[in-house]
Amino acid sequence: MCMANAYLKRGTEKALILEDVAAIRCEGDELYLKPLFGEEKRIKGKIREIDFLDSRILFEQESTEEN
Amino acid sequence: MCMANAYLKRGTEKALILEDVAAIRCEGDELYLKPLFGEEKRIKGKIREIDFLDSRILFEQESTEEN
């Protein structure tokens, strides 16, 4: 059992958007991030990189829409 | 530190394509899977689902090309 932190890349910046992500589901342009506790978070974007050793997920956003 | 196993979904089947994935890099349609040991594997496809608790990555392939 091993959760990851999700970061969003915008230009040269990386912002932490969710901690302790337990699962990610990709549906079209949308990503559903499921944390261990709390509500699922939906973002528009793409997975850019996942580092399992560092428990880090990096997303990239093409549009500015975000929920 | 927490690696995952990568499965490829083809229709209703799921085939194990790589064990102990340490990192994934997405570049356009291509995914680069980096195992802890051994050579990086390139696949054409999309990430469908990642389960960090089960250490499982599920890919979906749109084309039949694979390296």
Side-chain angles (χ1 to χ4, degrees), chain A residues 48-64:
Chain A
R48 175 72 189 149
E49 216 174 272
I50 302 168
D51 190 323
F52 290 94
L53 304 188
D54 274 352
S55 301
R56 192 168 38 79
I57 314 152
L58 186 63
F59 297 102
E60 224 169 26
Q61 216 159 33
E62 287 166 345
S63 115
T64 53

Side-chain angles (χ1 to χ4, degrees), chain A residues 4-67:
Chain A
N5 292 335
Y7 297 86
L8 185 62
K9 191 173 185 284
R10 278 193 183 134
T12 55
E13 281 177 30
K14 287 175 195 173
L16 178 66
I17 50 168
L18 196 62
E19 284 182 298
D20 295 335
V21 176
I24 301 174
R25 212 170 70 244
C26 305
E27 294 188 6
D29 290 353
E30 296 192 326
L31 298 162
Y32 295 83
L33 312 187
K34 197 176 154 55
L36 191 59
F37 301 107
E39 264 183 53
E40 197 174 63
K41 195 178 168 81
R42 180 166 63 97
I43 65 164
K44 279 215 181 240
K46 286 170 72 176
I47 294 170
R48 175 72 189 149
E49 216 174 272
I50 302 168
D51 190 323
F52 290 94
L53 304 188
D54 274 352
S55 301
R56 192 168 38 79
I57 314 152
L58 186 63
F59 297 102
E60 224 169 26
Q61 216 159 33
E62 287 166 345
S63 115
T64 53
E65 189 185 337
E66 189 181 347
N67 290 329

Side-chain angles (χ1 to χ4, degrees), chain A residues 2 22-24 26 48 50 52, chain B residues 2 22-24 26 48-50 52:
Chain A
C2 189
I24 301 174
C26 305
R48 175 72 189 149
I50 302 168
F52 290 94
Chain B
C2 187
I24 301 173
C26 305
R48 174 74 190 149
E49 214 173 274
I50 301 168
F52 290 94

